[in-house]
Amino acid sequence: MARTTRLSVCRRKRRFADEGEAMAVALAATITLRPYRCDRCFGFHLTGRTKGKRSL
């Protein structure tokens, strides 16, 4: 089941124009991050939630 992003969370997070840009930042980070498409702004954000998800 897909999670929906709360508008308040979307507004706090950095927005990336495309998945490639978000992926580059995620790979350069010192912690495990994963990009996802936001259902509110239709941009990409990063999340630290990785349970049940494929790693990069």
Side-chain angles (χ1 to χ4, degrees):
M1 179 180 219
R3 298 180 67 109
T4 58
T5 305
R6 291 191 331 246
L7 185 57
S8 61
V9 171
C10 174
R11 287 182 176 161
R12 280 195 315 263
K13 289 190 169 191
R14 181 174 170 190
R15 183 177 300 127
F16 298 95
D18 59 55
E19 188 175 19
E21 182 184 359
M23 184 76 72
V25 173
L27 291 172
T30 58
I31 61 172
T32 303
L33 294 173
R34 183 179 68 77
Y36 69 95
R37 180 176 287 280
C38 178
D39 60 336
R40 296 289 180 159
C41 69
F42 303 106
F44 286 86
H45 298 299
L46 297 176
T47 183
R49 290 180 178 256
T50 56
K51 185 176 180 182
K53 304 293 182 186
R54 283 186 267 164
S55 62
L56 300 180

